[in-house]
Amino acid sequence: MDVELNVTLLTLGGFAELHKYRYLYFVVIFTLYILILCFNSTIVCLIWTCKNLHEPMYIFIAALLINSVLYSMIIYPKLLSDVLSEKQIISYTLCLFQGFLYYTSAGSEFLLLAAMAYDRYVSICKPLQYPVIMNRITIYVSLVLAWLIPAFETAVSVVLYSEVKLCSFTLTGIFCNNSGYKLQCVTSVAISVYGVVMLINIALLPLLFILFTYIRIVRVSYQSCREVRKKAVKTCLPHLLVLINFSCFIVFDVIIVRLESDLSKTLRLILTFQSILFHPLLNPIIYGLKMNEIFKNLKILFCHVK
């Protein structure tokens, strides 16, 4: 029975000096979690309730922020539980499930950003056709595909991982991500190849599409009047900031497995905390401050509260 438990239970070994800073970790993580939920939920509710924000651009922003909330709910509750626990363990099945939700959320982020980039492209480059192209059907199909495609591709990866034999039972991180790749007895060629295919499909291709649309937007804006250029900067800059922030997060997540032996536990923990903090917390701040209509409605909301 003990041997069977050892096979199915994994230890999360990414915490540094947990016995000494247990309560500090808890307070910091809990505070960040509450801030993430409050910031994202406030703007989502604002978009939902304000009729002047019922436009494709703001609907996609709301979807992106909902995705940030789901992403946080995947990671933070388990982190809080682990910080207060004597042993930081998780079953292999639950670890696969957390990884499935985590990478589905990450893939959805790229596809939502791609949909937002296309929305800005049509708005600036084809303004007369915008109401026809960006209709309700286009929006709903984009939202559904943004979550279904990553979910399907990640599910295939989870099935492949469920079949591998494990020789190590200690993850170097504080939650289940691609560090599970190092637990295999023998490196699976199928998992390696499919991982690359998956990265291309739900990260690289959307990223290239986003870059293409923004190059087109820059070209059209440069050839147009000052008002068009001003509109392009106001609406596209927040999206680019979010894209850069999220791309850095994904790059870190991908390469951390390759560099894990060269990084100290403390440094790896700090980098991990930064990645799980900046991504869901900066999104609502960027959109709240940089999108004029959202900022105006936020000021009205806070004035009413006072």
Side-chain angles (χ1 to χ4, degrees):
M1 185 67 176
D2 291 337
V3 174
E4 190 174 14
L5 284 175
N6 288 334
V7 172
T8 56
L9 291 181
L10 304 178
T11 300
L12 300 170
F15 290 97
E17 302 289 341
L18 182 58
H19 62 286
K20 188 186 298 184
Y21 302 113
R22 183 184 306 274
Y23 296 106
L24 176 62
Y25 282 150
F26 182 85
V27 171
V28 171
I29 295 171
F30 182 74
T31 303
L32 294 176
Y33 185 44
I34 295 300
L35 288 176
I36 289 168
L37 293 180
C38 290
F39 286 3
N40 285 280
S41 300
T42 298
I43 296 183
V44 170
C45 290
L46 203 65
I47 293 172
W48 180 270
T49 55
C50 297
K51 291 185 178 180
N52 63 320
L53 298 179
H54 291 180
E55 298 178 9
M57 176 173 62
Y58 300 111
I59 293 173
F60 286 129
I61 289 175
L64 198 71
L65 299 184
I66 290 172
N67 200 59
S68 293
V69 171
L70 295 175
Y71 166 86
S72 302
M73 293 174 68
I74 294 165
I75 295 176
Y76 280 85
K78 181 67 171 72
L79 277 183
L80 291 169
S81 173
D82 286 334
V83 166
L84 295 180
S85 301
E86 289 298 321
K87 294 182 179 180
Q88 292 70 48
I89 59 175
I90 186 172
S91 71
Y92 187 55
T93 301
L94 286 179
C95 189
L96 290 177
F97 183 63
Q98 187 183 50
F100 165 74
L101 296 176
Y102 172 72
Y103 285 109
T104 296
S105 172
S108 298
E109 189 95 0
F110 269 118
L111 293 179
L112 287 170
L113 287 170
M116 294 167 72
Y118 180 70
D119 172 73
R120 292 299 84 210
Y121 165 75
V122 177
S123 175
I124 295 169
C125 300
K126 301 180 179 180
L128 298 179
Q129 302 175 42
Y130 183 77
V132 177
I133 296 175
M134 296 306 297
N135 53 44
R136 286 190 175 185
I137 295 177
T138 303
I139 296 170
Y140 294 152
V141 169
S142 299
L143 292 176
V144 170
L145 290 179
W147 275 297
L148 282 185
I149 292 175
F152 175 77
E153 296 206 0
T154 308
V156 175
S157 180
V158 169
V159 171
L160 292 174
Y161 268 103
S162 66
E163 300 296 326
V164 302
K165 183 179 179 183
L166 305 181
C167 283
S168 177
F169 304 98
T170 301
L171 288 169
T172 55
I174 57 177
F175 62 93
C176 296
N177 57 1
N178 67 351
S179 58
Y181 183 79
K182 293 288 186 177
L183 302 180
Q184 304 173 72
C185 293
V186 179
T187 301
S188 170
V189 176
I191 290 177
S192 300
V193 172
Y194 186 76
V196 173
V197 172
M198 186 173 156
L199 183 64
I200 292 172
N201 286 343
I202 64 177
L204 184 59
L205 290 180
L207 182 60
L208 291 175
F209 176 78
I210 293 168
L211 293 176
F212 170 77
T213 56
Y214 276 103
I215 289 171
R216 293 283 296 169
I217 289 172
V218 169
R219 288 181 60 185
V220 171
S221 300
Y222 181 76
Q223 297 168 358
S224 302
C225 63
R226 184 178 178 182
E227 285 300 315
V228 174
R229 290 197 294 270
K230 192 175 179 181
K231 176 185 176 183
V233 171
K234 281 186 177 181
T235 60
C236 295
L237 182 59
H239 301 158
L240 285 175
L241 291 175
V242 170
L243 176 64
I244 292 169
N245 168 49
F246 188 66
S247 297
C248 292
F249 157 71
I250 289 297
V251 168
F252 166 76
D253 184 80
V254 171
I255 67 174
I256 190 63
V257 172
R258 306 301 177 188
L259 297 179
E260 65 179 20
S261 59
D262 300 324
L263 297 176
S264 68
K265 182 182 285 190
T266 303
L267 178 58
R268 188 164 57 241
L269 180 64
I270 292 172
L271 292 173
T272 302
F273 269 136
Q274 288 181 339
S275 68
I276 65 175
L277 162 64
F278 289 149
H279 160 53
L281 191 58
L282 284 184
N283 285 4
I285 293 175
I286 290 171
Y287 287 121
L289 295 178
K290 293 294 184 180
M291 302 297 288
N292 287 342
E293 288 300 317
I294 294 178
F295 185 65
K296 288 177 185 177
N297 283 280
L298 278 174
K299 287 202 297 186
I300 293 171
L301 174 64
F302 288 122
C303 286
H304 282 311
V305 171
K306 289 180 181 179

